[in-house]
Amino acid sequence: MSRFDRLFQQLKAQNQGAFVPFVTLCDPDFDRSFEIIETLIANGADALELGFPFSDPLLDGEVIQAANKRALDAGYSTAACFELIAKVRAKYPEIPIGLLLCANLVFVPSQTQFFERCKQVGVDAVLIADLPVLAAEEFIHDAKQQGIQPVFICPPNADQATIERIAELTEGYTYLVSRSGVTSAENQQNAKNLDNLVERLKQANAAPILQGFGIAQPQQVKDALKLGADGAISGSAIVKIIERNLDNQAKLVQDLGDFVRAMKNATVL
């Protein structure tokens, strides 16, 4: 059983949903990024969703774009990100780790090498933001060869055929996008048909559903669970805490801990 599968089984037994934070690796630098991840886990994160800094992010709004730039400007590369994941895995052998990144980082120099490296450092799942589910076979084959669970996004306008294909191919967790557009803590307007999407995903036996985009307050976590999602992902709100405390790591850690505890507390059903 995978770490994600085990996590959702345990949370269900405890009558809880999952809270999963997203951060960009090596933002603002390697050592501070590791301390940030330590803080997330210490304060209740059930799993991690991690991004690699990239010069042309696809779904990211201004806040996460800035995080990418900070890491890149500091000289950190894909190699450094894998090194950081290995350090996290060594300290936290049970925490599920998913990656959310763009295809260019996977297919250069080759997807085979990428997934081999994922396995070596202890990654559990990979979501390629710009890989359509209709063109996923090659990616899925190489991922599964290395024991990596493929994850796909369910957009708010997904038709029934897309939902069924996502349910068929996705493992670990299903990423349900709350709304159209890019990531942002400010834009918290959910699509009107999310409850219908959740119901149809469940009818198709999809992997556990994590709702993301615009999740910035504990009440939104509760609302996601009320819709039938199995948990929530928060990224921009967390990265904003990092951004406004770049000159004060102690305050960053304190504010981040407070935020994660509040979000995790909201998952108790």
Side-chain angles (χ1 to χ4, degrees):
M1 182 180 291
S2 76
R3 291 184 183 92
F4 274 107
D5 296 342
R6 189 159 54 246
L7 169 68
F8 286 112
Q9 185 180 82
Q10 292 169 349
L11 290 174
K12 185 176 182 180
Q14 296 164 2
N15 208 29
Q16 295 181 22
F19 176 65
V20 181
F22 169 92
V23 291
T24 299
L25 290 161
C26 299
D27 171 36
D29 60 44
F30 186 99
D31 291 334
R32 293 180 72 184
S33 183
F34 182 68
E35 186 175 10
I36 286 165
I37 292 170
E38 288 181 306
T39 302
L40 298 174
I41 297 171
N43 287 281
D46 292 301
L48 300 171
E49 188 175 67
L50 305 175
F52 283 21
F54 184 52
S55 59
D56 190 22
L58 181 71
L59 294 175
D60 297 327
E62 292 182 1
V63 171
I64 297 177
Q65 286 179 29
N68 279 273
K69 188 174 188 304
R70 286 192 296 270
L72 291 171
D73 287 349
Y76 295 102
S77 63
T78 296
C81 291
F82 277 126
E83 182 183 345
L84 181 52
I85 294 169
K87 187 173 181 178
V88 172
R89 176 56 73 214
K91 184 168 182 178
Y92 304 100
E94 297 304 321
I95 190 84
I97 297 175
L99 303 185
L100 171 57
L101 69 176
C102 293
N104 279 18
L105 296 173
V106 175
F107 300 124
V108 178
S110 80
Q111 64 192 51
T112 300
Q113 291 174 274
F114 178 85
F115 288 118
E116 286 175 349
R117 190 73 178 114
C118 285
K119 180 180 180 179
Q120 290 168 3
V121 301
V123 169
D124 297 291
V126 172
L127 191 168
I128 303 175
D130 49 347
L131 180 76
V133 70
L134 293 176
E137 286 83 357
E138 187 177 355
F139 153 62
I140 290 172
H141 176 266
D142 283 6
K144 288 187 174 182
Q145 271 201 326
Q146 301 301 326
I148 307 299
Q149 294 184 301
V151 176
F152 292 94
I153 289 174
C154 180
N157 63 343
D159 59 20
Q160 187 61 32
T162 301
I163 288 171
E164 290 176 3
R165 185 159 175 81
I166 288 167
E168 177 188 357
L169 299 180
T170 293
E171 299 180 6
Y173 63 95
T174 303
Y175 193 127
L176 175 64
V177 173
S178 302
R179 52 167 174 74
S180 59
V182 297
T183 58
S184 170
E186 279 70 38
N187 186 349
Q188 299 172 15
Q189 185 65 46
N190 285 346
K192 293 181 180 180
N193 65 331
L194 279 186
D195 54 347
N196 179 259
L197 275 177
V198 169
E199 182 179 350
R200 288 193 288 161
L201 282 166
K202 287 182 176 291
Q203 288 175 349
N205 294 315
I209 301 164
L210 296 179
Q211 182 180 326
F213 276 45
I215 304 292
Q217 300 172 13
Q219 185 59 50
Q220 293 171 299
V221 176
K222 293 180 180 180
D223 291 344
L225 297 177
K226 285 179 183 177
L227 281 177
D230 300 280
I233 297 172
S234 180
S236 294
I238 287 173
V239 178
K240 283 187 73 173
I241 294 172
I242 297 170
E243 182 178 65
R244 69 172 176 258
N245 291 291
L246 289 171
D247 59 349
N248 189 337
Q249 183 75 356
K251 179 95 167 32
L252 189 164
V253 167
Q254 179 63 51
D255 289 356
L256 197 56
D258 292 344
F259 178 82
V260 173
R261 283 195 303 277
M263 298 294 268
K264 177 54 192 173
N265 286 342
T267 70
V268 179
L269 301 173

